[in-house]
Amino acid sequence: MEPTLSTHNKTADINHVKPRKSQSPWAIARRRFLKNKIAMVSLIFFLTVVALCALAEPLTVPVEETAKIKLTQISKEPSSEFFLGTDKSGREIWPRILHGGQTSLKLAVSITALVVITGTIVGSISGYFGGFIDAALMRFTDFVMTFPFILLVIVIRSIFVESGVGTLILVISLLGWTSTARLIRSKVMAEKENEYILAAISIGCNSFKVIVKHLLPNVLSTIIVQSTILMAVMIVAETGLSYLGFGVPMTIPTWGNMVQEARSPDVLANKWWIWIPPATVLTLVILSINFIGEGLKDAFNPKSAK
């Protein structure tokens, strides 16, 4: 029995149907992240704050002006002349928020970069080689973790009173990498058992090449998420230290130094414009970074709904 015309058409249609192109994990993660409304709004807000802080000098006065004491305009309320008022030294709040954000964000990014690099190196070596190397590195990590973070930073800052931002970045970075190292170690230990790693080793790839070219690209999503979360933590750490008087020198505007004004009962009760604007910006930035981090975590999670 000869096939009918309709059968021929169906067969032709089937033959002309192109197979659906599979998406890469990064494309799937990007699509998931773009669908996350809270994460997208947070990202737009955060990028807006970063742009404003980066353009602080063209938009407002130079940073040197934010440190000058002006006795004729002390504690002025917000007005058409002073957008967000002035502080107890006569310095405008609005320029100090932008310049302070520039310093706080630079400091947070620098510390986060050093922490992630150190933690990734230690975690990768420990997880890949295992055995004695793993035991030695993890015991050293445990040793560093036993130090009380804030207390040790305060002690070191008290010893090096005249030190600047560089010392603060170095001290926090040297003490803050441990959790990242443990996380990367666990991911590398799980990833190195996969067949593609065993194949790379079997064809003679050296350890450095296996870690850099094969392992790290496959744990990159974990590193990105961890970096986002760490950045928010480092902003909080700088703010807390500055509030206690052991952070960035008071001559350099930061959000932490501005919030420190709230230690005065008079400012806290009667001069809200001095501390509420920087505290509000600081809170919203930290929340936005945390929402971005949660969005990235969900986007890279293979168990999330597509």
Side-chain angles (χ1 to χ4, degrees), residues 172-202:
I172 297 177
S173 301
L174 290 175
L175 297 174
W177 56 268
T178 53
S179 61
T180 303
R182 283 189 166 278
L183 178 63
I184 299 302
R185 171 182 174 268
S186 64
K187 293 292 182 182
V188 168
M189 289 182 73
E191 198 71 27
K192 74 175 184 178
E193 301 300 328
N194 289 331
E195 292 180 357
Y196 71 94
I197 297 296
L198 300 176
I201 295 172
S202 67

Side-chain angles (χ1 to χ4, degrees), residues 6-294:
S6 60
T7 306
H8 279 297
N9 291 338
K10 287 180 180 179
T11 305
D13 290 341
I14 291 171
N15 292 333
H16 283 85
V17 172
K18 293 182 179 179
R20 293 184 64 182
K21 187 178 180 181
S22 60
Q23 290 186 309
S24 67
W26 288 93
I28 294 171
R30 183 174 64 251
R31 191 181 73 247
R32 288 174 181 168
F33 184 79
L34 291 174
K35 287 182 178 180
N36 191 324
K37 293 180 181 179
I38 296 177
M40 286 303 299
V41 170
S42 299
L43 179 62
I44 292 169
F45 172 79
F46 178 69
L47 292 177
T48 302
V49 172
V50 170
L52 287 173
C53 292
L55 298 172
E57 193 151 317
L59 292 175
T60 62
V61 297
V63 66
E64 296 81 12
E65 289 292 321
T66 63
K68 291 182 179 179
I69 297 175
K70 300 173 184 177
L71 299 176
T72 57
Q73 54 190 48
I74 290 175
S75 300
K76 296 285 186 181
E77 293 188 17
S79 62
S80 57
E81 184 180 2
F82 304 112
F83 176 46
L84 292 177
T86 62
D87 62 11
K88 295 189 299 181
S89 299
R91 300 169 297 192
E92 285 190 69
I93 302 296
W94 170 241
R96 281 178 64 78
I97 287 178
L98 296 186
H99 286 291
Q102 196 175 91
T103 305
S104 294
L105 292 172
K106 281 181 180 178
L107 195 144
V109 169
S110 301
I111 295 174
T112 300
L114 288 174
V115 165
V116 169
I117 291 171
T118 306
T120 300
I121 292 172
V122 173
S124 300
I125 294 173
S126 179
Y128 179 76
F129 289 102
F132 173 77
I133 294 175
D134 179 36
L137 288 175
M138 285 302 101
R139 296 300 74 77
F140 176 69
T141 302
D142 293 339
F143 173 72
V144 175
M145 289 181 74
T146 59
F147 289 109
F149 177 77
I150 296 294
L151 185 60
L152 190 59
V153 173
I154 289 174
V155 169
I156 295 174
R157 291 292 293 164
S158 300
I159 296 171
F160 300 99
V161 175
E162 301 299 326
S163 59
V165 178
T167 302
L168 184 65
I169 292 173
L170 185 62
V171 171
I172 297 177
S173 301
L174 290 175
L175 297 174
W177 56 268
T178 53
S179 61
T180 303
R182 283 189 166 278
L183 178 63
I184 299 302
R185 171 182 174 268
S186 64
K187 293 292 182 182
V188 168
M189 289 182 73
E191 198 71 27
K192 74 175 184 178
E193 301 300 328
N194 289 331
E195 292 180 357
Y196 71 94
I197 297 296
L198 300 176
I201 295 172
S202 67
I203 62 174
C205 289
N206 58 50
S207 300
F208 178 79
K209 190 174 182 180
V210 171
I211 292 173
V212 173
K213 290 194 68 176
H214 300 288
L215 279 173
L216 289 184
N218 286 283
V219 298
L220 187 59
S221 59
T222 302
I223 296 172
I224 292 172
V225 173
Q226 181 69 1
S227 300
T228 309
I229 296 169
L230 274 173
M231 187 171 175
V233 171
M234 294 310 163
I235 292 176
V236 173
E238 183 275 320
T239 303
L241 289 168
S242 296
Y243 183 82
L244 295 172
F246 295 98
V248 179
M250 291 299 294
T251 54
I252 302 174
T254 69
W255 288 334
N257 282 340
M258 296 184 72
V259 174
Q260 188 190 30
E261 298 279 1
R263 294 172 64 183
S264 169
D266 177 53
V267 171
L268 191 62
N270 304 315
K271 297 170 183 174
W272 58 267
W273 64 89
I274 293 179
W275 66 275
I276 284 185
T280 302
V281 173
L282 178 63
T283 303
L284 291 176
V285 166
I286 292 171
L287 283 174
S288 67
I289 294 174
N290 281 326
F291 284 134
I292 293 169
E294 289 297 321

